[in-house]
């Protein structure tokens, strides 16, 4: 059974810092890995999708990497801003099923 | 207009009542999903459907049922609601099974069972 773990559960940083969120998964037979953002009480916004054949994806200040063999992904946020404060969710998809989510990392960026 | 809509957005009900949550999509996707989210627990899969004739149980299907009325509509029912079903419920869709396919989420339904 696939399990997805995110560390840390919560993170507080001052504005301007670069930071890394971690995601690990137990079964490397995945189709893709996705990072989502969720604001309190709101829906999910897709940030980045990395296909199993890819190593990384970038969007603006965000960079996500994937090491399928070791079951790890990282989300790097450069020059953090208060508007980045949210919960970040990692999810993996395997053949014939839906996304399996980690519990998320709640990020707080102070000005 | 939103591509994935959920109704109602908020619902308060009592233990033992039957509740239906509805999801509609205009993306033309074949695949639809229902998740629930509890504080600190991420999203957990309840049911999923890869086409109108295909229904599959997810990780936590006990106490729930679903109906895929059409390609665009996927409903979740709680036959007899209980307090531990209080949660935020999300519907999602995806186009297919390719590695590049992402899931698109609705805004969520906040359900409270008293």
């Amino acid at each position: 059974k696939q399990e997805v773990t995110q560390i840390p559960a919560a993170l507080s940083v001052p504005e301007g810092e670069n930071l890394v969120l971690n995601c690990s998964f137990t079964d490397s037979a995945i189709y893709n890995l996705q990072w989502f953002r969720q604001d309190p009480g709101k829906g999910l916004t897709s940030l980045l999708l990395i296909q199993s054949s890819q190593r990384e994806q970038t969007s603006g200040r965000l960079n996500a990497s994937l090491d399928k063999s070791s079951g790890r992904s990282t989300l790097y946020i450069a020059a953090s801003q208060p508007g980045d404060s949210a919960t970040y969710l990692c999810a993996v998809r395997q053949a014939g099923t839906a996304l399996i989510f980690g519990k998320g990392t709640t990020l707080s960026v102070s000005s | 207009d939103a591509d994935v809509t959920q109704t109602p957005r908020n619902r308060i009900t009592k233990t033992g009542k039957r509740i239906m949550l509805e999801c509609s999509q205009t993306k033309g996707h074949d695949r639809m999903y229902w998740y629930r989210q509890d504080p600190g627990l991420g999203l957990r899969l309840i049911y999923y459907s890869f086409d109108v004739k295909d229904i599959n149980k997810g990780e936590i299907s006990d106490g729930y049922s679903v109906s895929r009325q059409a390609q665009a509509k996927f409903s979740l029912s709680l036959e007899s609601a209980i307090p531990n079903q209080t949660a935020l419920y999300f519907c999602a869709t995806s186009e297919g099974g390719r590695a590049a396919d992402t899931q698109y989420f609705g805004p969520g339904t906040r359900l409270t069972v008293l």
Side-chain angles (χ1 to χ4, degrees), chain A residues 1 31-32 34 36 38 40-46 49-52 87 89 93 96-104, chain B residues 9 31 33 35 37 40-43 45 48 50 59 88 90 96-103 105-108 110:
Chain A
K1 177 186 172 185
Y31 267 17
N32 61 41
Q34 295 185 236
F36 292 86
Q38 185 179 27
K42 303 294 185 182
L44 278 69
T45 301
S46 179
L49 181 152
I50 311 176
Q51 298 180 47
S52 61
T87 295
L89 294 161
R93 189 165 72 81
T97 185
L99 286 173
I100 300 169
F101 283 82
K103 295 180 180 180
Chain B
R9 294 294 312 279
R31 300 185 174 202
Y33 313 84
Y35 292 87
Q37 185 178 35
L41 292 182
L43 275 72
L45 183 65
Y48 60 104
F50 284 173
E59 178 187 356
L88 188 56
F90 288 104
R98 299 172 304 169
D101 289 335
T102 188
Q103 286 184 204
F105 285 80
R110 185 168 297 281

Side-chain angles (χ1 to χ4, degrees), chain B residues 61-111:
Chain B
S61 59
D62 288 348
Y64 301 94
S65 63
V66 291
S67 173
R68 185 80 185 269
Q69 301 97 320
Q71 185 201 38
K73 297 184 181 295
F74 192 34
S75 299
L76 177 72
S77 293
L78 288 67
E79 296 300 326
S80 180
I82 56 177
N84 76 1
Q85 292 177 312
T86 293
L88 188 56
Y89 289 84
F90 288 104
C91 174
T93 75
S94 67
E95 184 173 4
R98 299 172 304 169
D101 289 335
T102 188
Q103 286 184 204
Y104 298 88
F105 285 80
T109 294
R110 185 168 297 281
L111 177 65

